[in-house]
Amino acid sequence: MTTAKLFLHGVPDSPAIWRPLLAALDLGDTPVAVPALPGFTAPLPAGFPATKEAYADWAVWEAEALFAAHGPIDIVGHDWGALIAQRVAMLRPDLLRSWAASNAVIDPDYRGHRLARIWNTPILGELYMMLSNKPAKLAEGLTAAGMPADIAEEEAAQWASKDKRRAILKLYRSAKGLSFEHDWARDIARLPANGQLVWGEGDPYVALSVAQRFAANTGTPLTVIEGAGHWAIAERPGEVAAALQAFWAGLSAE
């Protein structure tokens, strides 16, 4: 019996970021859900506050739907999707067989990258969003950072959405940039043991040392993808797929 998979993307991405990895995983008939965070590829739902808690609640609902149809699931997240996936694992471990996080973890000592601090700052964040609405330049920057060019163009085109940019500001401000010391990080002990970290070695946003510290403190296995950056899931999909498949195979053998 195959285990259903739930993939959660991060910022500033969309489900498109998972295409290379899904192709490499070749999951066949395995039930797979790759939803877009609310407001990222469509208008924000009416009344949706776009806070980290709201996105966590939304992800729990997504997990519940998969669980109802297929039983315990494997949840995989990248960037903000990794943080949300870990939060789901803390809140509803009963829904999961396993969790995996790529290039972001809920860490009490991490204080966010430069862009996160800009987005967290009123007026400055709005000014950045207004001035950055240049798809060609954004696509160029994402490609230079390691994102495949075709996906970078898609992601950059979506940046024109005011709802997406507004959602990102709300999300980062609800997390005080990217500080979890006083809330989510206090629940790290609630994470189920069946977890895995997969990390691009040269991530300029969340350094490898963050993953290494988290792995040492929690005993979570860490696979480092050499020569990759923040978007290792798309830069080196074959290597990431091999790490996940080995992780899942180990769970099946237990």
Side-chain angles (χ1 to χ4, degrees):
M1 181 177 179
T2 57
T3 303
K5 317 294 185 195
L6 174 59
F7 293 86
L8 301 178
H9 69 84
V11 177
D13 307 326
S14 76
I17 199 65
W18 294 112
R19 277 205 307 264
L21 180 60
L22 291 173
L25 285 169
D26 191 19
L27 292 170
D29 295 332
T30 300
V32 174
V34 194
L37 299 184
F40 276 60
T41 62
L44 273 167
F48 187 79
T51 62
K52 70 183 195 300
E53 305 298 345
Y55 281 108
D57 290 343
W58 163 82
V60 166
W61 182 87
E62 293 284 342
E64 285 176 335
L66 267 184
F67 177 88
H70 307 289
I73 69 172
D74 295 320
I75 190 170
V76 183
H78 170 258
D79 187 85
W80 255 105
L83 303 175
I84 294 168
Q86 284 193 316
R87 189 57 177 165
V88 172
M90 292 172 175
L91 296 174
R92 294 297 306 276
D94 57 301
L95 301 176
L96 308 182
R97 181 181 74 149
S98 75
W99 60 270
S102 178
N103 289 84
V105 287
I106 296 171
D107 180 272
D109 298 318
Y110 181 64
R111 291 296 179 268
H113 49 79
R114 176 176 173 271
L115 197 50
R117 292 192 290 273
I118 290 173
W119 287 340
N120 186 47
T121 305
I123 301 177
L124 184 59
E126 280 78 5
L127 183 61
Y128 176 95
M129 290 299 186
M130 182 179 67
L131 295 176
S132 67
N133 192 17
K134 299 175 182 177
K137 187 174 181 180
L138 178 58
E140 181 181 332
L142 292 172
T143 301
M147 188 182 291
D150 60 330
I151 297 177
E153 289 179 5
E154 284 187 53
E155 307 291 22
Q158 293 167 5
W159 196 253
S161 166
K162 290 183 179 179
D163 272 13
K164 180 168 186 170
R165 286 178 278 146
R166 188 166 75 246
I168 289 170
L169 292 181
K170 288 176 178 290
L171 175 58
Y172 276 81
R173 289 171 187 176
S174 74
K176 300 178 178 63
L178 279 172
S179 176
F180 298 94
E181 178 184 7
H182 300 294
D183 43 44
W184 287 7
R186 295 188 174 187
D187 293 330
I188 287 174
R190 296 172 62 183
L191 275 171
N194 287 343
Q196 169 81 8
L197 304 182
V198 181
W199 217 269
E201 177 186 30
D203 190 335
Y205 304 106
V206 193
L208 177 59
S209 60
V210 176
Q212 292 169 329
R213 178 173 64 229
F214 187 94
N217 290 340
T218 64
T220 306
L222 167 63
T223 298
V224 178
I225 308 299
E226 297 181 0
H230 185 68
W231 286 279
I233 57 170
E235 293 176 75
R236 300 284 192 277
E239 295 172 49
V240 175
L244 289 174
Q245 287 166 334
F247 171 52
W248 293 330
L251 297 175
S252 299
E254 291 179 357

